[in-house]
Amino acid sequence: MSGREIHVVVVGGSWAGITAVRQLLTLSRETYPRLLITLIERRTHYFHKTGIIRGLVDSNYAKQMFIPYDRLFAQSVSKFNHRIVCSRLTKVYQSFVEIENGARIFYDYLLLATGTEYTSLPVTQSTTARECRLMYQIMRDAIDAADHIVFIGGGAVGIGMCGEVAEMHPEKHITLVHARDSLLNDDLSTGFANATELRLQKMGVEVILNESVISSAESSCNSNSNGIRRRSSVSNMDVGRSGMWEVFPQKLVTGSGRHIACNLAIWTTGSRPATDYLSTLPVSNAKTPLIDTNTGRINVRPSLQLTDANYPNIFAIGDVNSLPLSEKYATSAVDQAKHAVAGIRILIDECYDFRAKMSPSMAADSALRACMDSYSATMKRQQAVVVSLGKHQELSTSLFARFSSWIHGSKRGRRYLIDRAQRMLNY
């Protein structure tokens, strides 16, 4: 047991970050009473992004998606005051981080769980519960008013949104446009993608593959920085951010020259993590960059430490890291958080102090070797991918998950794990 004070900073209060905080609280309570936890989160409330597509059509569900953080540390028995800092991370250094007001927060271990956001879904950019509710209402109003909706991007979010809207509004003409020859991600089987496409078509969704939307033929509109079409007359800040959801006749033009008429275009592409905060961290080896230049995600070892051996005390978990997309679902984020905290515990047990005890590369290799058994048991196991299509239908890559859904009546599709999120935050 370490007798010194240990400060762990977790950045990001979504699914992976909250799981990590809970694991650290257990570690503090049972093993390291001098462990201090700081959570840095830019939102005032937990925002349940796992259920973001349900909130677009169900106002009652949306009301449950904003959960205060005030009970997160309620069950802690440590004499140290764990804390929550409501701010945005701007810079990372080797022993401290800097937030938007310029304040510095020092750490022994840093867990980055900043996730990714769809810039075309304005609700994900909101920082307060009130602003989120306003954005949701504007987006729902647009969906209600539109006759023909085109979703651009056939990943999990685009497919889920199609399923939700098709189930709630069977009278609407819904089209899904995807640039590849099959839906979803490359790391999922073609058979699963084809089954998803067939299920959408049975729900009345028109699926167009191998087409990229490049512009709109509607001359009265212009594009914002995300390529989203909106009327040029929109100027108010709140309306401007959500103006991309304004309903008006338009024709989308694809790369092949095809025109698709609609009166609401919703882009579900372009998710990218914000990792600019790592630009202040020196890279020790050009062959192991901190950021993947293609995806913008943080490169990590199997132990979830940064690939740069100079920073064995910095971990990246959840959507922000470079693991395959099949590892980006909520259950995988839980495994990653547990695995990272297990790595931190190993380093603490070995009295790792990157300023004196051992070289950073030795510490990184030590944690990697010690974590491999845990990694093999969790991160390398086959993860079940579940795609929900409304409240009553879902598809899964796992036979067990499909059987469980049949037994429980598609429990995930009805609630999107919101009950579990409430329990995690002691609500």
Side-chain angles (χ1 to χ4, degrees), residues 14 38 43 98 134 142 144 177 201-202 209 223 235 266 277 344 351 402:
S14 196
T38 296
R43 291 187 175 93
E98 192 172 293
L134 171 64
D144 290 343
V177 182
Q201 290 171 339
K202 287 182 178 180
L209 300 176
S223 297
S235 58
I266 300 175
Y277 49 74
I344 290 174
C351 299
R402 290 197 295 271

Side-chain angles (χ1 to χ4, degrees), residues 148-378:
H148 185 182
I149 305 172
V150 175
F151 292 93
I152 304 165
V157 172
I159 290 170
M161 289 177 68
C162 278
E164 293 286 343
V165 177
E167 182 182 78
M168 184 68 72
H169 301 284
E171 77 286 356
K172 296 184 184 296
H173 185 179
I174 300 171
T175 302
L176 175 63
V177 182
H178 191 53
R180 299 178 181 177
D181 57 4
S182 62
L183 297 176
L184 295 166
N185 306 313
D186 290 338
D187 54 347
L188 297 175
S189 70
T190 302
F192 184 66
N194 292 340
T196 303
E197 179 184 351
L198 180 61
R199 187 70 66 88
L200 284 172
Q201 290 171 339
K202 287 182 178 180
M203 297 178 73
V205 176
E206 177 188 8
V207 180
I208 300 175
L209 300 176
N210 290 312
E211 290 281 13
S212 298
V213 175
I214 58 174
S215 66
S216 170
E218 180 63 40
S219 59
S220 63
C221 307
N222 56 29
S223 297
N224 65 9
S225 59
N226 301 319
I228 311 302
R229 312 300 297 183
R230 61 183 176 87
R231 289 180 186 265
S232 58
S233 60
V234 178
S235 58
N236 177 271
M237 180 178 177
D238 283 341
V239 178
R241 289 177 63 186
S242 57
M244 62 189 72
W245 287 69
E246 189 179 10
V247 178
F248 62 94
Q250 58 183 300
K251 287 185 179 180
L252 304 177
V253 182
T254 70
S256 68
R258 180 175 181 175
H259 286 207
I260 305 172
C262 67
N263 54 7
L264 177 60
I266 300 175
W267 294 70
T268 56
T269 60
S271 70
R272 193 173 180 87
T275 51
D276 293 344
Y277 49 74
L278 283 183
S279 62
T280 49
L281 210 56
V283 178
S284 63
N285 188 339
K287 295 182 179 180
T288 56
L290 298 176
I291 305 296
D292 185 307
T293 54
N294 294 322
T295 65
R297 289 182 163 84
I298 301 174
N299 287 319
V300 294
R301 296 177 170 222
S303 59
L304 301 176
Q305 296 161 295
L306 302 195
T307 51
D308 194 316
N310 270 358
Y311 310 111
N313 57 325
I314 303 179
F315 296 73
I317 59 176
D319 288 348
V320 76
N321 69 30
S322 58
L323 292 184
L325 289 173
S326 57
E327 301 288 350
K328 304 301 183 185
Y329 297 88
T331 52
S332 301
V334 169
D335 284 341
Q336 289 186 35
K338 292 178 178 178
H339 181 50
V341 173
I344 290 174
R345 176 171 185 169
I346 289 166
L347 292 178
I348 296 174
D349 285 344
E350 294 189 358
C351 299
Y352 167 63
D353 185 331
F354 64 89
R355 292 173 293 273
K357 295 294 182 183
M358 65 175 78
S359 71
S361 59
M362 289 176 61
D365 291 339
S366 175
L368 179 59
R369 289 194 304 271
C371 286
M372 284 313 294
D373 289 342
S374 171
Y375 179 79
S376 298
T378 56

Side-chain angles (χ1 to χ4, degrees), residues 12 37 54 62 81 90 99 105 154 172 217 259 262 269 282 316 391 400:
I37 306 165
R54 173 59 48 76
N81 293 320
T90 58
I99 55 179
I105 301 174
K172 296 184 184 296
H259 286 207
C262 67
T269 60
K391 295 182 179 180
F400 174 78

Side-chain angles (χ1 to χ4, degrees), residues 15-68:
W15 199 272
I18 294 302
T19 301
V21 167
R22 288 175 60 87
Q23 293 290 308
L24 289 166
L25 282 171
T26 300
L27 208 58
S28 172
R29 181 171 58 251
E30 297 179 355
T31 313
Y32 304 112
R34 293 178 63 82
L35 189 147
L36 172 64
I37 306 165
T38 296
L39 171 65
I40 302 174
E41 166 56 43
R42 67 182 183 85
R43 291 187 175 93
T44 59
H45 290 60
Y46 168 88
F47 175 53
H48 189 58
K49 289 198 291 184
T50 304
I52 186 173
I53 57 180
R54 173 59 48 76
L56 289 174
V57 297
D58 189 337
S59 59
N60 291 327
Y61 182 89
K63 293 176 183 176
Q64 304 174 57
M65 293 176 61
F66 316 105
I67 308 172

